[in-house]
Amino acid sequence: MEIEMIKNLINLILTVFISIIVISCNGQVKSKSEQNQNTEIGTIVSGLDNQIWVIFQDSKGNYWFGSNGNGVYKYDGTKIIQFTTKDGLAYDQIRGIQEDKEGNLYIETQNGISKYNGTEFTTLQPIKSSKNEWKLEPNDLWFGYNANDLYRLDGDSLYELELPRKDLKKAFGIETEGVPFEGNNNSPYAVFGVNKDKNGNIWFGTATAGAFRYDGDSFLWFGEKELSTLPDGRVPGVRSMIQDKNGYYWLSNIYSKYKINSDLPKGYEKIEAAELPEKIINDKILYFMSGIADTQGKLWMTTYDDGIWCYNGESLSNIEIHNGTENVLLISIYLDDRGGIWLGTNNDGVYKHNSGKFEKFEP
């Protein structure tokens, strides 16, 4: 009888013990689920900001729209999610978006570079190296904003680099030091634009120090007067470098184009970009802020308030973008993986090329 009672007591204890473990485990699962829900970041919104300066399509097909003060927006084809400093973004003024081979996004802001791994944002800390870690690897990412000159990210470390110094006063005949530029950098070598050419060389456009091409071993400097402070005092900066189908490079203006030629003393030849009617020269600002070469090799170049310049290989044409009677102020142009052309603006959101014309994009 006593033995039977002991067995029953043991079974009861085991049953209670197992029940406690199950309840505890279930509680842990629930707690983890609740934690995951609480760590989701971003806010679902109904539309985009009017000031969209940056457009980018990631490897999953999502579109990202960087604003000039309200963070970045992700559009997956169904919903729009807005991310700001409240979600860990370094700053809400976006100046660039890139993606690495692992699918991480890098958001350039005027207060640093934020890495987004799909779950959270972290701000990268640059390394200032006395060795000036210049390399050119296929998977490197390059950034200009918030650096003394520029940054190179090799996947692990963000290196702050310095471009070769030139005698700018001798080259341009004007004083370039101390001119106020956008952002937080008054250096003539502040990088305004970074582009890769068809051969994998990297190009840097500066505030007033011209443009540089780096091939992994050496630099080629484009020290032309139209790439620095202009005679009337304007500082357009070299913001975009594009290559046409004939191998010429257009360095943020349509006065001149350049071709690499190592047989020449400067290492390149310079010719007139295209013949322009006198009326266009007098009425239009011939510097572009952003440019692309489309799938047919046609060049598209945006100006702030003078529309788009298009170059078909022979002649230039101008397309003005209007919203009613108001000029749409253009900041950037972007080519997606399907050949679609997008415009980022400073006053009217996003436009997309559709059936031969640009139309306001309404997600």
Side-chain angles (χ1 to χ4, degrees):
M1 186 70 174
E2 291 181 0
I3 295 175
E4 189 66 30
M5 288 178 62
I6 292 171
K7 287 183 178 180
N8 290 337
L9 182 59
I10 292 172
N11 288 335
L12 178 61
I13 292 171
L14 288 173
T15 301
V16 172
F17 182 69
I18 291 171
S19 298
I20 291 171
I21 292 174
V22 171
I23 292 170
S24 176
C25 289
N26 287 339
Q28 289 175 6
V29 171
K30 182 178 181 181
S31 175
K32 187 174 181 180
S33 176
E34 289 174 349
Q35 186 179 2
N36 285 342
Q37 291 176 2
N38 292 336
T39 57
E40 289 181 359
I41 62 175
T43 303
I44 296 177
V45 295
S46 58
L48 302 174
D49 192 70
N50 275 340
Q51 292 186 317
I52 297 296
W53 282 32
V54 181
I55 301 169
F56 181 76
Q57 183 186 25
D58 67 25
S59 57
K60 298 180 178 66
N62 302 307
Y63 287 93
W64 294 78
F65 303 98
S67 76
N68 188 39
N70 282 308
V72 64
Y73 299 80
K74 175 186 176 183
Y75 177 58
D76 62 5
T78 302
K79 64 181 180 298
I80 306 171
I81 301 177
Q82 181 186 18
F83 302 97
T84 67
T85 52
K86 293 184 297 184
D87 304 298
L89 196 61
Y91 202 57
D92 284 334
Q93 288 181 313
I94 311 303
R95 294 295 180 262
I97 305 174
Q98 299 183 63
E99 183 178 11
D100 67 17
K101 62 179 182 178
E102 307 297 334
N104 300 303
L105 292 185
Y106 296 86
I107 317 294
E108 276 183 273
T109 80
Q110 287 192 324
N111 198 32
I113 300 168
S114 290
K115 176 182 177 181
Y116 180 63
N117 62 5
T119 302
E120 62 182 354
F121 289 96
T122 55
T123 300
L124 303 184
Q125 300 301 319
I127 298 173
K128 294 184 179 180
S129 172
S130 59
K131 296 180 180 179
N132 210 12
E133 301 281 349
W134 279 99
K135 293 181 182 179
L136 184 58
E137 302 294 340
N139 294 318
D140 286 348
L141 299 182
W142 300 81
F143 309 90
Y145 277 91
N146 203 49
N148 286 332
D149 287 5
L150 70 148
Y151 296 125
R152 177 180 70 87
L153 178 67
D154 66 1
D156 296 315
S157 300
L158 183 70
Y159 295 99
E160 187 166 13
L161 305 179
E162 183 178 284
L163 289 165
R165 269 31 187 177
K166 302 294 182 179
D167 188 342
L168 302 181
K169 191 170 184 178
K170 179 179 179 181
F172 304 133
I174 52 177
E175 192 64 54
T176 58
E177 300 288 346
V179 181
F181 306 125
E182 65 182 74
N184 58 359
N185 193 339
N186 288 337
S187 168
Y189 297 88
V191 170
F192 277 11
V194 181
N195 296 100
K196 275 190 177 182
D197 64 24
K198 297 173 184 177
N199 296 319
N201 304 304
I202 194 84
W203 291 72
F204 307 104
T206 71
T208 58
F212 294 81
R213 186 197 71 154
Y214 177 59
D215 63 6
D217 295 314
S218 61
F219 291 88
L220 179 61
W221 181 48
F222 294 76
E224 300 292 332
K225 290 185 178 181
E226 69 263 24
L227 306 181
S228 186
T229 303
L230 304 183
D232 60 7
R234 283 181 298 146
V235 184
V238 182
R239 300 171 184 270
S240 182
M241 295 131 284
I242 49 178
Q243 186 178 7
D244 66 25
K245 55 188 177 184
N246 295 319
Y248 284 94
Y249 296 92
W250 299 57
L251 306 183
S252 229
N253 73 86
I254 55 177
Y255 291 106
S256 306
K257 57 187 177 181
Y258 306 85
K259 199 168 191 176
I260 307 300
N261 188 337
S262 57
D263 294 331
L264 297 178
K266 288 186 175 181
Y268 61 85
E269 62 176 305
K270 169 186 169 182
I271 65 171
E272 184 182 48
E275 185 175 350
L276 294 169
E278 194 67 30
K279 184 177 185 303
I280 292 181
I281 294 176
N282 293 334
D283 292 349
K284 301 290 185 180
I285 297 174
L286 304 184
Y287 283 80
F288 57 91
M289 298 186 67
S290 180
I292 61 165
D294 68 16
T295 53
Q296 282 77 45
K298 184 177 181 180
L299 303 186
W300 301 73
M301 300 161 281
T302 61
T303 66
Y304 185 65
D305 57 2
D306 278 329
I308 302 169
W309 289 102
C310 297
Y311 181 68
N312 62 7
E314 297 179 357
S315 60
L316 280 161
S317 59
N318 184 249
I319 303 172
E320 294 186 351
I321 310 295
H322 300 282
N323 184 358
T325 58
E326 183 181 17
N327 271 5
V328 178
L329 305 177
L330 305 179
I331 299 294
S332 63
I333 188 165
Y334 180 74
L335 184 72
D336 68 23
D337 63 7
R338 295 184 178 180
I341 301 174
W342 301 72
L343 299 175
T345 82
N346 198 41
N347 63 342
D348 202 25
V350 175
Y351 278 70
K352 186 178 181 183
H353 196 247
N354 187 20
S355 300
K357 62 181 179 179
F358 285 94
E359 298 176 339
K360 179 75 176 287
F361 176 66
E362 303 286 357

